[in-house]
Amino acid sequence: MIDLAQLRREPDVLKAALGRRGISSREVDEIVALDVEHRRLLQESERLRAEVKELSRRVGAARREKDLVTAEELASTSRGLGDDERQASEATELVGSRLRDLLLLLPNLPDPRVPDGADENDNVEVRRWWVGMDEGAPFPTFADHQRVAHWDIGRDLGILDMESGAKLAGSMFPLYRGAGSRLIRALAFFALDQHADAYEEIRPPSVALTDTMMSTGHLPKSADDMYAIERDDLWLIPTAEVPLTSLHRGEILNESALPVRLTAFTPCFRREAGAAGKDTRGLLRVHEFDKVELFAYCTPAQADEAQADILRRAEGILQALGLTYRVLDLCAGDLGTASAYTIDLEVFSPGVDRWLEVSSVSWFRDFQARRANVRYRTSDGSTAFVHTVNGSALAWARIWAALVETYRQEDGSVRLPAVLAPYFGGDPVLRATPS
RNA sequence: GGAGGGAUGACAGAGCGGCCGAAUGUACCGGUCUUGAAAACCGGCGUGGGCUUGCCCACCGUGGGUUCAAAUCCCACUCCCUCCGCCA
C-alpha cells in the first residue's frame, strides 16, 4: 500500500510514477477526492462522538449528586445526538472502506532506477554468465545431445512422469520419480546449506489466511491466480514470500535486530489462469513447484545491500551448478504489483532453447510492511515501517529442466555437477533403469 | 469431535457499567547519590488517526448488540491452556 500522507503531499509525483505502470491520473484523483471527503466526515462524526461522551460524563455526575431530573434531561439530549453520531460514522465508514479498497488495488511506485517499458519485451538484459566466462570463454554452444527437451529426457530415464501427475491432479502437476525426485530434494538441501550462515531456516504452513495473502499484495488483486480452499478461508501459497512477510505482522521490531533474514523451502501453487496453452510443456510452467526463498526485513538504509545479498546468493547457486543464465532489469510495465525494483534471473535451457525465469529478486520499499503493519523502533524512539526484500534461490522445477538438458551426455545419461554429489550419496549420474 | 478454563500495555497482573487509555510490580530511559557499579530515591515510559498544536477520536483477542455511557453486560467467532475421544 502506498503512503496516503505522501499522496496528499505530492500527488503529482505519484501520478508520474504510477503513470509509468499504466495507472491513469484520474484514478489517483479519485482517491485524493475520497480522502478529502473521508476526513470531512471523520471530523463531523468525531465531533458528535466527543459531545456524546461529554454529556454522558455529566449524566454520571448528576446521578452521583442525586439530581435525577438533570440526569434524565442530559441523557435525553445525548440520545438524540447518538443517533446523529451513528449516521455520521456510518457515512464515514462507507467512504473509508471505498478509499481503502482503491488504495489496496494501487500498485507500488517504481524506483527511478527501473527502466521504462510496457511489458516483458522491454526488460533490460544487464549481463550474462556462463562457465568459463571469466577466463574469456565465448558464450557456450550446445551439442546435439544437449538439444533434447527435458520431458523427453525425463521420460527416457524414468525420472519425470507428467502423465501420472496429470492422472492424479490434472495437467501441469509434475510427478518426479527415482533420481528425478531425489534431484529436487538435493537441490533444495544444497541451497539451504548455502544460506544457513546468514538466514534462519523456516518451515511455514503451505496455506495462508486471507489477511496473510493481503499483506504481500497478492490479494485482492490476483485472486484468480491463487488456489482457494473456500470452506476454510485458506489459500495455497504461491510463494514462501507470503508467510515470511507476515511472520512479524503487527509487530514493532527493534532496529538492532535488523536485518532479519529468513529462508524457507516450500511448495508453491499457481493456477496460471491466463496462461492456458502457452509454454506449458513439461516443466516450463507448472501448477506446483518447490522453491527455496530468501527474505529480509530491514531498514531503508539496509535495503540495497539486503537485495544485493539475495541476488548474489541466487547467482552463486546458478554458478555452482554451472548453468548459463542472464540477469534482467524489469521494466516499469512488467513489475509485480508490490515491487519497487526487481531483478530477474533466467537460466538457459538448451533442450528447449529458451531462457527460463528461475528467480525474481525484489525490493518492496515499505509497500508490504504498510499492509502487514511491520514496523521498527528507531534509535530516537520513533517508529517507522520496515522495508522488505525477497528473492528465490531458487525455483527448482525449471532448474531441474535446465540441469538435465545441460548435463545430458552423448550416451543419453545425465551427469550432474559434482556439488550435488554429497546429496546423491555418490556419483550424481542419472541413467535409464532397465525395466 | 466433546467438556471446562482463559485472552488487558515489553512482561507479570488488577479492574467486572460512569474522569479507566487503564492500578501495581518488573523491565526500559533520564536524573540525584557514588571513584565507578549496585542499591535507594525522583521523574519519564503504549499504538494509530484528525485538525484550529492544543485539543479531540479510536484501540483492553475479533466482529456484532444493549446503554445517555462498555475493558466491564449480552451474542457469535478466533486463538491459547486442561481433560476425554480420534489420529500420522
Side-chain angles (χ1 to χ4, degrees):
Chain A
M1 193 152 59
I2 61 137
D3 182 8
L4 195 52
Q6 188 193 2
L7 180 57
R8 284 174 203 152
R9 218 169 38 240
E10 39 193 34
D12 294 336
V13 173
L14 257 91
K15 285 180 192 174
L18 289 171
R20 301 183 64 206
R21 314 187 49 143
I23 304 289
S24 80
S25 61
R26 277 227 320 282
E27 255 175 89
V28 178
D29 286 333
E30 189 183 355
I31 291 174
V32 170
L34 275 170
D35 176 48
V36 169
E37 174 68 356
H38 179 245
R39 280 184 290 163
R40 190 184 67 75
L41 291 166
L42 190 63
Q43 282 176 52
E44 174 63 5
S45 65
E46 283 191 356
R47 188 186 63 75
L48 287 166
R49 183 100 195 97
E51 212 165 323
V52 168
K53 284 181 71 169
E54 176 55 27
L55 284 169
S56 294
R57 268 190 286 268
R58 285 162 59 191
V59 171
R63 292 185 65 163
R64 261 194 304 279
E65 284 160 28
K66 302 279 193 285
D67 187 354
L68 296 181
V69 177
T70 306
E72 185 42 47
E73 264 172 33
L74 291 167
S76 165
T77 311
S78 185
R79 246 192 301 274
L81 274 174
D83 291 340
D84 296 347
E85 191 272 333
R86 196 172 302 237
Q87 277 187 9
S89 63
E90 269 170 26
T92 308
E93 181 47 38
L94 201 69
V95 174
S97 73
R98 173 101 183 101
L99 176 62
R100 262 194 310 281
D101 288 350
L102 288 183
L103 222 43
L104 280 172
L105 285 169
L106 219 52
N108 203 351
L109 310 179
D111 189 77
R113 284 172 292 181
V114 172
D116 285 325
D119 54 39
E120 69 269 18
N121 298 312
D122 298 324
N123 294 337
V124 175
E125 184 175 312
V126 178
R127 62 177 179 275
R128 294 182 178 195
W129 186 94
W130 58 87
V131 173
M133 183 188 80
D134 296 335
E135 288 76 49
F139 189 79
T141 53
F142 293 89
D144 283 350
H145 60 80
Q146 293 172 294
R147 295 294 191 174
V148 177
H150 61 273
W151 50 84
D152 290 330
I153 302 172
R155 186 198 55 228
D156 292 347
L157 299 183
I159 55 175
L160 176 65
D161 185 351
M162 294 302 293
E163 290 73 23
S164 292
K167 177 175 156 186
L168 301 178
S171 70
M172 292 166 70
F173 280 95
L175 183 148
Y176 304 92
R177 54 199 319 161
S181 178
R182 183 157 194 167
L183 176 53
I184 292 289
R185 175 159 61 92
L187 288 166
F189 282 26
F190 171 61
L192 288 171
D193 287 347
Q194 298 288 304
H195 307 319
D197 61 311
Y199 290 74
E200 184 192 355
E201 186 176 335
I202 304 288
R203 177 52 253 239
S206 304
V207 296
L209 296 166
T210 297
D211 276 353
T212 311
M213 297 289 288
M214 285 281 203
S215 65
T216 44
H218 287 92
L219 289 179
K221 207 169 190 172
S222 308
D224 287 348
D225 298 325
M226 248 73 68
Y227 286 100
I229 306 169
E230 282 180 44
R231 80 183 231 172
D232 294 304
D233 184 32
L234 288 171
W235 304 77
L236 295 182
I237 57 170
T239 157
E241 164 192 347
V242 169
L244 294 182
T245 303
S246 274
L247 188 62
H248 290 292
R249 188 164 74 221
E251 296 179 21
I252 300 174
L253 305 172
N254 227 309
E255 183 170 19
S256 60
L258 298 175
V260 172
R261 298 182 207 258
L262 307 170
T263 181
F265 170 47
T266 69
C268 302
F269 301 92
R270 303 194 178 176
R271 289 188 69 228
E272 302 291 354
K278 194 179 165 220
D279 291 340
T280 54
R281 283 204 71 184
L283 298 173
L284 295 179
R285 185 181 298 280
V286 288
H287 288 314
E288 177 180 355
F289 60 93
D290 295 303
K291 177 160 69 64
V292 167
E293 183 77 0
L294 294 172
F295 173 92
Y297 294 105
C298 59
T299 65
Q302 294 166 338
D304 271 351
E305 173 49 27
Q307 188 181 19
D309 187 66
I310 293 173
L311 183 63
R312 219 160 26 231
R313 285 168 182 271
E315 287 196 63
I317 303 274
L318 287 166
Q319 292 179 12
L321 294 174
L323 293 171
T324 301
Y325 69 89
R326 64 179 182 180
V327 181
L328 298 179
D329 199 342
L330 290 204
C331 73
D334 200 30
L335 228 42
T337 302
S339 178
Y341 181 48
T342 296
I343 300 289
D344 268 12
L345 296 177
E346 293 188 343
V347 74
F348 187 72
S349 213
V352 294
D353 196 27
R354 260 174 239 232
W355 296 94
L356 305 178
E357 182 187 334
V358 291
S359 181
S360 207
V361 184
S362 300
W363 167 54
F364 301 93
R365 206 180 277 112
D366 58 2
F367 186 90
Q368 294 181 325
R370 196 177 298 280
R371 289 177 168 228
N373 192 23
V374 183
R375 288 166 291 170
Y376 70 101
R377 194 170 298 284
T378 62
S379 44
D380 66 15
S382 63
T383 60
F385 288 109
V386 299
H387 279 201
T388 55
V389 297
N390 71 48
S392 351
L394 296 157
W396 303 121
R398 289 171 180 166
I399 293 290
W400 192 103
L403 274 173
V404 301
E405 292 174 7
T406 301
Y407 289 102
R408 186 168 184 272
Q409 310 296 305
E410 285 184 71
D411 66 0
S413 68
V414 172
R415 175 170 289 279
L416 294 168
V419 290
L420 294 177
Y423 302 92
F424 268 86
D427 244 12
V429 179
L430 281 47
R431 288 197 174 81
T433 45
S435 50

